[in-house]
Amino acid sequence: MDRRGLCKSLYSYSIYMDIQCKSGKPWRAVKLSKEMKKKGIRLDVVAYKTVIHAIGLSEGVEFSIRVYREMKEVGCEPNVGTNNTILELLFDNGKIRNAYKVFDQMREKGCAPNVMTYHCFLGCLEKPRQILRMFDRMMNGGVRPRMDTYVMLMKKFGRWGFLRPVFIIWKKMEEQVCSPYACAYSTLVNALLQKGLVDEARMYEEQMLAKGLSSKPRVDLGSKPHTK
C-alpha cells in the first residue's frame, strides 16, 4: 500500500497486526501500533485486542496490562474478547490471582463472561475441586459448555487418573441433552482403559458404535495386548 501511495486505515492496520501475530512476529504488530499512534489513528476495541496480545507475547503481560489501562483511559471500553486475551496472558505467566481479579472486574462492570472466558480457567487450573467449582460457576451463570469443553475436562481428569470427575462431567453433558460425539466417547473409553477397566470401556465403545459413531483405531478391547 505504501508503494502505491495509498493511506493505511484503521481496518488495514488491524489486519496487518493480526497477520503479524499469527505468523509468530508479534513485535512487528507492536511496531505497527506505534506507527498508527504517530499518524493519529485512533485504535478501536479490535485493534487494541490485537496490540494487547502482541505486546504480551513480545514484551510480557505487564506491558499488556498497561495497554489495557490505556485503552480504558482513552474511553475505549474493553469487551469480553479483550478480557479473554488478558486472562490468557495472565495464565500463561502463572498469574492466577490476577486472572481472578480481572474475572471479578468483568462481572462488576457488566461484561458477561463467555465460554472462552471459562476455557481460560478450566484449561489452566490444576486442582480437580477448583476446576469443578469453576465449571459449576459457568453452568450457573448461564454459559452453555461446548462439546470441546466437556472433552477438554474429561481428557484432563483422565490424564490425571481421576475417574470420578470424568463421570461427573459426562453426567453433566447428558443432563444438558448434549448427545456425545465420537471424541467424547473416545476420551471416556481411554480414561477407563488407563485404569484397566476394560469391560466398562468395551460397554461405552459398543454404545458409541450403536449410535453410528466411528471410533479411532485402538487395542482390541476383546483381548489383552500381547506382551513379551
Side-chain angles (χ1 to χ4, degrees), residues 154-202:
M154 288 193 295
K155 277 185 178 179
K156 195 166 190 175
F157 291 133
R159 188 168 61 248
W160 293 340
F162 298 138
L163 277 183
R164 182 174 173 273
V166 168
F167 279 105
I168 288 174
I169 298 300
W170 183 269
K171 186 178 179 182
K172 293 281 187 182
M173 180 173 59
E174 292 183 319
E175 288 173 354
Q176 290 296 309
V177 197
C178 187
S179 180
Y181 291 0
C183 56
Y185 271 108
S186 294
T187 301
L188 177 58
V189 168
N190 287 334
L192 291 166
L193 288 175
Q194 187 176 318
K195 300 293 285 187
L197 301 173
V198 178
D199 290 339
E200 289 84 347
R202 185 188 301 113

mmCIF file of all heavy atoms in Angstrom, residues 154-202:
data_model
loop_
_atom_site.group_PDB
_atom_site.id
_atom_site.type_symbol
_atom_site.label_atom_id
_atom_site.label_comp_id
_atom_site.label_asym_id
_atom_site.label_seq_id
_atom_site.Cartn_x
_atom_site.Cartn_y
_atom_site.Cartn_z
ATOM 1 N N MET A 154 -12.694 -33.922 30.441
ATOM 2 C CA MET A 154 -12.571 -35.369 30.609
ATOM 3 C C MET A 154 -11.155 -35.837 30.294
ATOM 4 O O MET A 154 -10.618 -36.721 30.964
ATOM 5 C CB MET A 154 -13.596 -36.093 29.739
ATOM 6 C CG MET A 154 -15.021 -35.950 30.243
ATOM 7 S SD MET A 154 -16.183 -37.098 29.460
ATOM 8 C CE MET A 154 -16.146 -36.525 27.759
ATOM 9 N N LYS A 155 -10.539 -35.254 29.280
ATOM 10 C CA LYS A 155 -9.150 -35.599 28.952
ATOM 11 C C LYS A 155 -8.221 -35.220 30.105
ATOM 12 O O LYS A 155 -7.308 -35.970 30.458
ATOM 13 C CB LYS A 155 -8.712 -34.858 27.680
ATOM 14 C CG LYS A 155 -9.135 -35.529 26.390
ATOM 15 C CD LYS A 155 -8.560 -34.785 25.197
ATOM 16 C CE LYS A 155 -8.944 -35.482 23.896
ATOM 17 N NZ LYS A 155 -8.409 -34.734 22.722
ATOM 18 N N LYS A 156 -8.471 -34.064 30.663
ATOM 19 C CA LYS A 156 -7.624 -33.563 31.750
ATOM 20 C C LYS A 156 -7.711 -34.480 32.961
ATOM 21 O O LYS A 156 -6.688 -34.920 33.505
ATOM 22 C CB LYS A 156 -8.064 -32.149 32.107
ATOM 23 C CG LYS A 156 -7.072 -31.365 32.941
ATOM 24 C CD LYS A 156 -7.447 -29.893 32.954
ATOM 25 C CE LYS A 156 -6.349 -29.064 33.582
ATOM 26 N NZ LYS A 156 -6.621 -27.628 33.506
ATOM 27 N N PHE A 157 -8.932 -34.787 33.390
ATOM 28 C CA PHE A 157 -9.113 -35.659 34.542
ATOM 29 C C PHE A 157 -8.628 -37.077 34.244
ATOM 30 O O PHE A 157 -8.045 -37.740 35.098
ATOM 31 C CB PHE A 157 -10.583 -35.678 34.964
ATOM 32 C CG PHE A 157 -11.066 -34.384 35.554
ATOM 33 C CD1 PHE A 157 -12.266 -33.816 35.131
ATOM 34 C CD2 PHE A 157 -10.340 -33.734 36.535
ATOM 35 C CE1 PHE A 157 -12.721 -32.623 35.673
ATOM 36 C CE2 PHE A 157 -10.793 -32.537 37.089
ATOM 37 C CZ PHE A 157 -11.983 -31.985 36.657
ATOM 38 N N GLY A 158 -8.887 -37.554 33.028
ATOM 39 C CA GLY A 158 -8.455 -38.893 32.642
ATOM 40 C C GLY A 158 -6.941 -39.013 32.648
ATOM 41 O O GLY A 158 -6.383 -40.030 33.082
ATOM 42 N N ARG A 159 -6.271 -37.967 32.179
ATOM 43 C CA ARG A 159 -4.803 -37.955 32.147
ATOM 44 C C ARG A 159 -4.229 -38.027 33.567
ATOM 45 O O ARG A 159 -3.164 -38.608 33.789
ATOM 46 C CB ARG A 159 -4.328 -36.688 31.437
ATOM 47 C CG ARG A 159 -2.843 -36.641 31.159
ATOM 48 C CD ARG A 159 -2.494 -35.510 30.205
ATOM 49 N NE ARG A 159 -2.836 -34.202 30.726
ATOM 50 C CZ ARG A 159 -3.786 -33.418 30.239
ATOM 51 N NH1 ARG A 159 -4.517 -33.809 29.206
ATOM 52 N NH2 ARG A 159 -4.032 -32.223 30.770
ATOM 53 N N TRP A 160 -4.952 -37.413 34.506
ATOM 54 C CA TRP A 160 -4.517 -37.438 35.906
ATOM 55 C C TRP A 160 -4.923 -38.724 36.619
ATOM 56 O O TRP A 160 -4.540 -38.953 37.766
ATOM 57 C CB TRP A 160 -5.089 -36.247 36.660
ATOM 58 C CG TRP A 160 -4.547 -34.924 36.211
ATOM 59 C CD1 TRP A 160 -3.389 -34.693 35.530
ATOM 60 C CD2 TRP A 160 -5.145 -33.639 36.426
ATOM 61 N NE1 TRP A 160 -3.228 -33.346 35.301
ATOM 62 C CE2 TRP A 160 -4.285 -32.674 35.837
ATOM 63 C CE3 TRP A 160 -6.305 -33.201 37.049
ATOM 64 C CZ2 TRP A 160 -4.564 -31.304 35.857
ATOM 65 C CZ3 TRP A 160 -6.595 -31.840 37.081
ATOM 66 C CH2 TRP A 160 -5.727 -30.911 36.487
ATOM 67 N N GLY A 161 -5.751 -39.542 35.966
ATOM 68 C CA GLY A 161 -6.195 -40.790 36.573
ATOM 69 C C GLY A 161 -7.371 -40.640 37.511
ATOM 70 O O GLY A 161 -7.640 -41.517 38.335
ATOM 71 N N PHE A 162 -8.141 -39.539 37.380
ATOM 72 C CA PHE A 162 -9.303 -39.290 38.240
ATOM 73 C C PHE A 162 -10.588 -39.623 37.476
ATOM 74 O O PHE A 162 -11.053 -38.833 36.653
ATOM 75 C CB PHE A 162 -9.335 -37.835 38.709
ATOM 76 C CG PHE A 162 -8.157 -37.431 39.543
ATOM 77 C CD1 PHE A 162 -7.535 -36.205 39.360
ATOM 78 C CD2 PHE A 162 -7.666 -38.277 40.524
ATOM 79 C CE1 PHE A 162 -6.448 -35.828 40.133
ATOM 80 C CE2 PHE A 162 -6.569 -37.910 41.310
ATOM 81 C CZ PHE A 162 -5.963 -36.683 41.112
ATOM 82 N N LEU A 163 -11.160 -40.791 37.766
ATOM 83 C CA LEU A 163 -12.360 -41.213 37.039
ATOM 84 C C LEU A 163 -13.636 -40.549 37.551
ATOM 85 O O LEU A 163 -14.555 -40.275 36.766
ATOM 86 C CB LEU A 163 -12.526 -42.734 37.119
ATOM 87 C CG LEU A 163 -11.731 -43.558 36.114
ATOM 88 C CD1 LEU A 163 -12.058 -45.035 36.278
ATOM 89 C CD2 LEU A 163 -12.019 -43.112 34.683
ATOM 90 N N ARG A 164 -13.706 -40.292 38.853
ATOM 91 C CA ARG A 164 -14.938 -39.709 39.403
ATOM 92 C C ARG A 164 -15.301 -38.392 38.721
ATOM 93 O O ARG A 164 -16.436 -38.227 38.261
ATOM 94 C CB ARG A 164 -14.807 -39.526 40.921
ATOM 95 C CG ARG A 164 -16.080 -38.974 41.566
ATOM 96 C CD ARG A 164 -15.949 -38.938 43.089
ATOM 97 N NE ARG A 164 -17.100 -38.260 43.664
ATOM 98 C CZ ARG A 164 -17.178 -36.950 43.847
ATOM 99 N NH1 ARG A 164 -16.156 -36.176 43.475
ATOM 100 N NH2 ARG A 164 -18.249 -36.410 44.379
ATOM 101 N N PRO A 165 -14.358 -37.427 38.620
ATOM 102 C CA PRO A 165 -14.712 -36.193 37.918
ATOM 103 C C PRO A 165 -14.981 -36.392 36.425
ATOM 104 O O PRO A 165 -15.733 -35.632 35.831
ATOM 105 C CB PRO A 165 -13.505 -35.281 38.152
ATOM 106 C CG PRO A 165 -12.407 -36.166 38.615
ATOM 107 C CD PRO A 165 -13.041 -37.328 39.286
ATOM 108 N N VAL A 166 -14.373 -37.422 35.825
ATOM 109 C CA VAL A 166 -14.667 -37.719 34.416
ATOM 110 C C VAL A 166 -16.155 -38.030 34.271
ATOM 111 O O VAL A 166 -16.833 -37.506 33.373
ATOM 112 C CB VAL A 166 -13.829 -38.920 33.908
ATOM 113 C CG1 VAL A 166 -14.351 -39.395 32.540
ATOM 114 C CG2 VAL A 166 -12.362 -38.531 33.778
ATOM 115 N N PHE A 167 -16.683 -38.854 35.175
ATOM 116 C CA PHE A 167 -18.098 -39.222 35.104
ATOM 117 C C PHE A 167 -19.018 -38.079 35.541
ATOM 118 O O PHE A 167 -20.162 -37.995 35.086
ATOM 119 C CB PHE A 167 -18.366 -40.482 35.933
ATOM 120 C CG PHE A 167 -17.999 -41.749 35.219
ATOM 121 C CD1 PHE A 167 -16.861 -42.446 35.560
ATOM 122 C CD2 PHE A 167 -18.785 -42.223 34.177
ATOM 123 C CE1 PHE A 167 -16.508 -43.599 34.881
ATOM 124 C CE2 PHE A 167 -18.447 -43.376 33.494
ATOM 125 C CZ PHE A 167 -17.303 -44.077 33.846
ATOM 126 N N ILE A 168 -18.521 -37.200 36.408
ATOM 127 C CA ILE A 168 -19.311 -36.016 36.777
ATOM 128 C C ILE A 168 -19.531 -35.156 35.534
ATOM 129 O O ILE A 168 -20.658 -34.702 35.267
ATOM 130 C CB ILE A 168 -18.592 -35.196 37.872
ATOM 131 C CG1 ILE A 168 -18.647 -35.941 39.210
ATOM 132 C CG2 ILE A 168 -19.227 -33.803 38.017
ATOM 133 C CD1 ILE A 168 -17.835 -35.278 40.323
ATOM 134 N N ILE A 169 -18.476 -34.949 34.756
ATOM 135 C CA ILE A 169 -18.584 -34.158 33.526
ATOM 136 C C ILE A 169 -19.457 -34.872 32.513
ATOM 137 O O ILE A 169 -20.278 -34.250 31.827
ATOM 138 C CB ILE A 169 -17.179 -33.879 32.942
ATOM 139 C CG1 ILE A 169 -16.329 -33.058 33.925
ATOM 140 C CG2 ILE A 169 -17.292 -33.152 31.606
ATOM 141 C CD1 ILE A 169 -16.905 -31.715 34.287
ATOM 142 N N TRP A 170 -19.304 -36.185 32.409
ATOM 143 C CA TRP A 170 -20.118 -36.975 31.470
ATOM 144 C C TRP A 170 -21.604 -36.847 31.801
ATOM 145 O O TRP A 170 -22.442 -36.651 30.922
ATOM 146 C CB TRP A 170 -19.689 -38.442 31.528
ATOM 147 C CG TRP A 170 -20.417 -39.332 30.557
ATOM 148 C CD1 TRP A 170 -21.566 -40.037 30.778
ATOM 149 C CD2 TRP A 170 -20.051 -39.593 29.196
ATOM 150 N NE1 TRP A 170 -21.930 -40.726 29.650
ATOM 151 C CE2 TRP A 170 -21.023 -40.479 28.667
ATOM 152 C CE3 TRP A 170 -18.992 -39.169 28.392
ATOM 153 C CZ2 TRP A 170 -20.964 -40.948 27.346
ATOM 154 C CZ3 TRP A 170 -18.943 -39.643 27.079
ATOM 155 C CH2 TRP A 170 -19.916 -40.513 26.570
ATOM 156 N N LYS A 171 -21.923 -36.924 33.090
ATOM 157 C CA LYS A 171 -23.319 -36.801 33.525
ATOM 158 C C LYS A 171 -23.874 -35.413 33.226
ATOM 159 O O LYS A 171 -25.014 -35.264 32.784
ATOM 160 C CB LYS A 171 -23.424 -37.107 35.018
ATOM 161 C CG LYS A 171 -24.860 -37.137 35.526
ATOM 162 C CD LYS A 171 -24.914 -37.485 37.005
ATOM 163 C CE LYS A 171 -26.349 -37.487 37.512
ATOM 164 N NZ LYS A 171 -26.415 -37.780 38.972
ATOM 165 N N LYS A 172 -23.049 -34.386 33.474
ATOM 166 C CA LYS A 172 -23.475 -33.006 33.182
ATOM 167 C C LYS A 172 -23.778 -32.863 31.695
ATOM 168 O O LYS A 172 -24.735 -32.189 31.299
ATOM 169 C CB LYS A 172 -22.371 -32.018 33.579
ATOM 170 C CG LYS A 172 -22.100 -31.912 35.054
ATOM 171 C CD LYS A 172 -23.117 -31.052 35.763
ATOM 172 C CE LYS A 172 -22.713 -30.817 37.210
ATOM 173 N NZ LYS A 172 -23.734 -29.997 37.934
ATOM 174 N N MET A 173 -22.954 -33.491 30.869
ATOM 175 C CA MET A 173 -23.136 -33.428 29.426
ATOM 176 C C MET A 173 -24.475 -34.059 29.037
ATOM 177 O O MET A 173 -25.220 -33.508 28.227
ATOM 178 C CB MET A 173 -21.978 -34.148 28.725
ATOM 179 C CG MET A 173 -22.044 -34.169 27.221
ATOM 180 S SD MET A 173 -20.539 -34.856 26.462
ATOM 181 C CE MET A 173 -20.515 -36.499 27.187
ATOM 182 N N GLU A 174 -24.775 -35.205 29.623
ATOM 183 C CA GLU A 174 -26.041 -35.884 29.324
ATOM 184 C C GLU A 174 -27.237 -35.087 29.835
ATOM 185 O O GLU A 174 -28.293 -35.039 29.188
ATOM 186 C CB GLU A 174 -26.038 -37.276 29.934
ATOM 187 C CG GLU A 174 -25.043 -38.224 29.278
ATOM 188 C CD GLU A 174 -25.102 -39.622 29.844
ATOM 189 O OE1 GLU A 174 -25.239 -39.761 31.088
ATOM 190 O OE2 GLU A 174 -25.015 -40.581 29.066
ATOM 191 N N GLU A 175 -27.085 -34.439 30.999
ATOM 192 C CA GLU A 175 -28.170 -33.636 31.568
ATOM 193 C C GLU A 175 -28.510 -32.435 30.692
ATOM 194 O O GLU A 175 -29.634 -31.948 30.694
ATOM 195 C CB GLU A 175 -27.788 -33.160 32.978
ATOM 196 C CG GLU A 175 -27.798 -34.260 34.023
ATOM 197 C CD GLU A 175 -27.258 -33.780 35.357
ATOM 198 O OE1 GLU A 175 -26.772 -32.621 35.417
ATOM 199 O OE2 GLU A 175 -27.323 -34.550 36.335
ATOM 200 N N GLN A 176 -27.509 -31.944 29.955
ATOM 201 C CA GLN A 176 -27.710 -30.796 29.075
ATOM 202 C C GLN A 176 -28.297 -31.219 27.718
ATOM 203 O O GLN A 176 -28.348 -30.428 26.787
ATOM 204 C CB GLN A 176 -26.379 -30.072 28.845
ATOM 205 C CG GLN A 176 -25.848 -29.340 30.059
ATOM 206 C CD GLN A 176 -26.751 -28.195 30.496
ATOM 207 O OE1 GLN A 176 -27.127 -27.343 29.694
ATOM 208 N NE2 GLN A 176 -27.119 -28.180 31.770
ATOM 209 N N VAL A 177 -28.735 -32.465 27.662
ATOM 210 C CA VAL A 177 -29.290 -33.025 26.424
ATOM 211 C C VAL A 177 -28.297 -32.810 25.279
ATOM 212 O O VAL A 177 -28.654 -32.429 24.168
ATOM 213 C CB VAL A 177 -30.664 -32.389 26.079
ATOM 214 C CG1 VAL A 177 -31.397 -33.259 25.067
ATOM 215 C CG2 VAL A 177 -31.523 -32.209 27.321
ATOM 216 N N CYS A 178 -27.043 -33.033 25.611
ATOM 217 C CA CYS A 178 -25.966 -32.860 24.639
ATOM 218 C C CYS A 178 -25.501 -34.256 24.228
ATOM 219 O O CYS A 178 -24.848 -34.946 25.007
ATOM 220 C CB CYS A 178 -24.827 -32.057 25.268
ATOM 221 S SG CYS A 178 -23.526 -31.619 24.115
ATOM 222 N N SER A 179 -25.873 -34.698 23.050
ATOM 223 C CA SER A 179 -25.510 -36.037 22.590
ATOM 224 C C SER A 179 -23.997 -36.124 22.388
ATOM 225 O O SER A 179 -23.425 -35.344 21.632
ATOM 226 C CB SER A 179 -26.226 -36.351 21.275
ATOM 227 O OG SER A 179 -25.883 -37.636 20.830
ATOM 228 N N PRO A 180 -23.341 -37.063 23.089
ATOM 229 C CA PRO A 180 -21.882 -37.158 22.989
ATOM 230 C C PRO A 180 -21.413 -37.442 21.563
ATOM 231 O O PRO A 180 -21.991 -38.253 20.858
ATOM 232 C CB PRO A 180 -21.552 -38.345 23.910
ATOM 233 C CG PRO A 180 -22.731 -38.474 24.815
ATOM 234 C CD PRO A 180 -23.912 -38.052 24.007
ATOM 235 N N TYR A 181 -20.362 -36.759 21.160
ATOM 236 C CA TYR A 181 -19.723 -37.020 19.874
ATOM 237 C C TYR A 181 -18.750 -38.178 20.053
ATOM 238 O O TYR A 181 -18.470 -38.624 21.157
ATOM 239 C CB TYR A 181 -18.953 -35.789 19.394
ATOM 240 C CG TYR A 181 -19.792 -34.603 18.998
ATOM 241 C CD1 TYR A 181 -21.183 -34.629 19.061
ATOM 242 C CD2 TYR A 181 -19.190 -33.430 18.563
ATOM 243 C CE1 TYR A 181 -21.941 -33.526 18.702
ATOM 244 C CE2 TYR A 181 -19.943 -32.311 18.199
ATOM 245 C CZ TYR A 181 -21.314 -32.367 18.282
ATOM 246 O OH TYR A 181 -22.056 -31.271 17.923
ATOM 247 N N ALA A 182 -18.202 -38.651 18.936
ATOM 248 C CA ALA A 182 -17.225 -39.736 18.981
ATOM 249 C C ALA A 182 -16.024 -39.369 19.848
ATOM 250 O O ALA A 182 -15.485 -40.205 20.580
ATOM 251 C CB ALA A 182 -16.772 -40.086 17.562
ATOM 252 N N CYS A 183 -15.602 -38.093 19.772
ATOM 253 C CA CYS A 183 -14.430 -37.668 20.545
ATOM 254 C C CYS A 183 -14.693 -37.773 22.046
ATOM 255 O O CYS A 183 -13.782 -38.098 22.821
ATOM 256 C CB CYS A 183 -14.019 -36.251 20.164
ATOM 257 S SG CYS A 183 -15.317 -35.016 20.348
ATOM 258 N N ALA A 184 -15.949 -37.526 22.480
ATOM 259 C CA ALA A 184 -16.284 -37.626 23.900
ATOM 260 C C ALA A 184 -16.255 -39.084 24.340
ATOM 261 O O ALA A 184 -15.712 -39.421 25.401
ATOM 262 C CB ALA A 184 -17.652 -37.012 24.167
ATOM 263 N N TYR A 185 -16.835 -39.952 23.518
ATOM 264 C CA TYR A 185 -16.809 -41.383 23.834
ATOM 265 C C TYR A 185 -15.373 -41.899 23.881
ATOM 266 O O TYR A 185 -14.989 -42.645 24.785
ATOM 267 C CB TYR A 185 -17.604 -42.171 22.792
ATOM 268 C CG TYR A 185 -19.065 -42.322 23.107
ATOM 269 C CD1 TYR A 185 -20.042 -41.636 22.392
ATOM 270 C CD2 TYR A 185 -19.492 -43.177 24.138
ATOM 271 C CE1 TYR A 185 -21.394 -41.787 22.690
ATOM 272 C CE2 TYR A 185 -20.844 -43.329 24.436
ATOM 273 C CZ TYR A 185 -21.793 -42.630 23.708
ATOM 274 O OH TYR A 185 -23.120 -42.777 24.007
ATOM 275 N N SER A 186 -14.573 -41.524 22.899
ATOM 276 C CA SER A 186 -13.180 -41.986 22.843
ATOM 277 C C SER A 186 -12.401 -41.543 24.072
ATOM 278 O O SER A 186 -11.581 -42.295 24.616
ATOM 279 C CB SER A 186 -12.495 -41.455 21.575
ATOM 280 O OG SER A 186 -13.075 -42.013 20.416
ATOM 281 N N THR A 187 -12.671 -40.305 24.524
ATOM 282 C CA THR A 187 -11.990 -39.791 25.713
ATOM 283 C C THR A 187 -12.370 -40.592 26.946
ATOM 284 O O THR A 187 -11.507 -40.946 27.767
ATOM 285 C CB THR A 187 -12.347 -38.301 25.929
ATOM 286 O OG1 THR A 187 -11.953 -37.553 24.777
ATOM 287 C CG2 THR A 187 -11.654 -37.739 27.156
ATOM 288 N N LEU A 188 -13.661 -40.918 27.077
ATOM 289 C CA LEU A 188 -14.124 -41.714 28.216
ATOM 290 C C LEU A 188 -13.538 -43.124 28.160
ATOM 291 O O LEU A 188 -13.056 -43.646 29.173
ATOM 292 C CB LEU A 188 -15.648 -41.772 28.229
ATOM 293 C CG LEU A 188 -16.293 -42.625 29.327
ATOM 294 C CD1 LEU A 188 -15.859 -42.145 30.714
ATOM 295 C CD2 LEU A 188 -17.811 -42.605 29.203
ATOM 296 N N VAL A 189 -13.565 -43.734 26.985
ATOM 297 C CA VAL A 189 -13.021 -45.086 26.815
ATOM 298 C C VAL A 189 -11.530 -45.107 27.178
ATOM 299 O O VAL A 189 -11.058 -46.004 27.878
ATOM 300 C CB VAL A 189 -13.247 -45.587 25.370
ATOM 301 C CG1 VAL A 189 -12.444 -46.859 25.103
ATOM 302 C CG2 VAL A 189 -14.733 -45.853 25.128
ATOM 303 N N ASN A 190 -10.787 -44.122 26.716
ATOM 304 C CA ASN A 190 -9.351 -44.057 27.008
ATOM 305 C C ASN A 190 -9.094 -43.910 28.511
ATOM 306 O O ASN A 190 -8.148 -44.491 29.052
ATOM 307 C CB ASN A 190 -8.709 -42.895 26.261
ATOM 308 C CG ASN A 190 -8.576 -43.172 24.776
ATOM 309 O OD1 ASN A 190 -8.508 -44.321 24.358
ATOM 310 N ND2 ASN A 190 -8.541 -42.125 23.975
ATOM 311 N N ALA A 191 -9.934 -43.099 29.184
ATOM 312 C CA ALA A 191 -9.781 -42.912 30.629
ATOM 313 C C ALA A 191 -10.022 -44.222 31.374
ATOM 314 O O ALA A 191 -9.316 -44.548 32.334
ATOM 315 C CB ALA A 191 -10.742 -41.832 31.119
ATOM 316 N N LEU A 192 -11.011 -44.975 30.919
ATOM 317 C CA LEU A 192 -11.316 -46.266 31.544
ATOM 318 C C LEU A 192 -10.203 -47.280 31.292
ATOM 319 O O LEU A 192 -9.811 -48.034 32.190
ATOM 320 C CB LEU A 192 -12.656 -46.797 31.011
ATOM 321 C CG LEU A 192 -13.896 -46.018 31.460
ATOM 322 C CD1 LEU A 192 -15.109 -46.403 30.632
ATOM 323 C CD2 LEU A 192 -14.168 -46.264 32.950
ATOM 324 N N LEU A 193 -9.686 -47.309 30.074
ATOM 325 C CA LEU A 193 -8.596 -48.219 29.744
ATOM 326 C C LEU A 193 -7.344 -47.913 30.560
ATOM 327 O O LEU A 193 -6.613 -48.815 30.972
ATOM 328 C CB LEU A 193 -8.267 -48.144 28.250
ATOM 329 C CG LEU A 193 -9.287 -48.780 27.290
ATOM 330 C CD1 LEU A 193 -8.889 -48.516 25.848
ATOM 331 C CD2 LEU A 193 -9.405 -50.277 27.550
ATOM 332 N N GLN A 194 -7.116 -46.626 30.773
ATOM 333 C CA GLN A 194 -5.943 -46.219 31.550
ATOM 334 C C GLN A 194 -5.998 -46.784 32.963
ATOM 335 O O GLN A 194 -4.966 -47.054 33.577
ATOM 336 C CB GLN A 194 -5.857 -44.692 31.595
ATOM 337 C CG GLN A 194 -4.589 -44.154 32.241
ATOM 338 C CD GLN A 194 -4.503 -42.636 32.179
ATOM 339 O OE1 GLN A 194 -4.828 -42.026 31.166
ATOM 340 N NE2 GLN A 194 -4.083 -42.023 33.274
ATOM 341 N N LYS A 195 -7.211 -46.961 33.483
ATOM 342 C CA LYS A 195 -7.394 -47.516 34.826
ATOM 343 C C LYS A 195 -7.575 -49.037 34.793
ATOM 344 O O LYS A 195 -7.844 -49.657 35.825
ATOM 345 C CB LYS A 195 -8.592 -46.864 35.511
ATOM 346 C CG LYS A 195 -8.477 -45.357 35.671
ATOM 347 C CD LYS A 195 -7.366 -44.975 36.632
ATOM 348 C CE LYS A 195 -7.742 -45.230 38.068
ATOM 349 N NZ LYS A 195 -6.722 -44.691 39.016
ATOM 350 N N GLY A 196 -7.456 -49.631 33.600
ATOM 351 C CA GLY A 196 -7.577 -51.082 33.474
ATOM 352 C C GLY A 196 -8.998 -51.598 33.482
ATOM 353 O O GLY A 196 -9.230 -52.803 33.638
ATOM 354 N N LEU A 197 -9.987 -50.720 33.288
ATOM 355 C CA LEU A 197 -11.402 -51.110 33.310
ATOM 356 C C LEU A 197 -11.859 -51.449 31.886
ATOM 357 O O LEU A 197 -12.598 -50.706 31.245
ATOM 358 C CB LEU A 197 -12.242 -49.984 33.910
ATOM 359 C CG LEU A 197 -11.847 -49.588 35.344
ATOM 360 C CD1 LEU A 197 -12.610 -48.359 35.805
ATOM 361 C CD2 LEU A 197 -12.098 -50.760 36.305
ATOM 362 N N VAL A 198 -11.415 -52.605 31.415
ATOM 363 C CA VAL A 198 -11.652 -52.995 30.022
ATOM 364 C C VAL A 198 -13.127 -53.255 29.748
ATOM 365 O O VAL A 198 -13.643 -52.863 28.697
ATOM 366 C CB VAL A 198 -10.812 -54.246 29.673
ATOM 367 C CG1 VAL A 198 -11.082 -54.686 28.236
ATOM 368 C CG2 VAL A 198 -9.323 -53.955 29.858
ATOM 369 N N ASP A 199 -13.817 -53.933 30.658
ATOM 370 C CA ASP A 199 -15.234 -54.246 30.428
ATOM 371 C C ASP A 199 -16.074 -52.976 30.307
ATOM 372 O O ASP A 199 -16.934 -52.868 29.427
ATOM 373 C CB ASP A 199 -15.781 -55.110 31.571
ATOM 374 C CG ASP A 199 -15.189 -56.516 31.549
ATOM 375 O OD1 ASP A 199 -14.712 -56.932 30.471
ATOM 376 O OD2 ASP A 199 -15.202 -57.182 32.608
ATOM 377 N N GLU A 200 -15.828 -52.020 31.197
ATOM 378 C CA GLU A 200 -16.567 -50.756 31.143
ATOM 379 C C GLU A 200 -16.238 -49.998 29.854
ATOM 380 O O GLU A 200 -17.118 -49.406 29.228
ATOM 381 C CB GLU A 200 -16.231 -49.886 32.356
ATOM 382 C CG GLU A 200 -16.798 -50.392 33.681
ATOM 383 C CD GLU A 200 -15.909 -51.440 34.335
ATOM 384 O OE1 GLU A 200 -14.993 -51.942 33.657
ATOM 385 O OE2 GLU A 200 -16.155 -51.757 35.512
ATOM 386 N N ALA A 201 -14.967 -50.027 29.477
ATOM 387 C CA ALA A 201 -14.553 -49.354 28.244
ATOM 388 C C ALA A 201 -15.240 -49.976 27.042
ATOM 389 O O ALA A 201 -15.706 -49.271 26.140
ATOM 390 C CB ALA A 201 -13.034 -49.438 28.089
ATOM 391 N N ARG A 202 -15.317 -51.321 27.023
ATOM 392 C CA ARG A 202 -15.972 -52.015 25.921
ATOM 393 C C ARG A 202 -17.450 -51.639 25.834
ATOM 394 O O ARG A 202 -17.990 -51.438 24.739
ATOM 395 C CB ARG A 202 -15.840 -53.524 26.091
ATOM 396 C CG ARG A 202 -16.395 -54.311 24.907
ATOM 397 C CD ARG A 202 -16.444 -55.797 25.164
ATOM 398 N NE ARG A 202 -15.111 -56.338 25.453
ATOM 399 C CZ ARG A 202 -14.748 -56.839 26.636
ATOM 400 N NH1 ARG A 202 -15.599 -56.822 27.660
ATOM 401 N NH2 ARG A 202 -13.536 -57.323 26.806
#
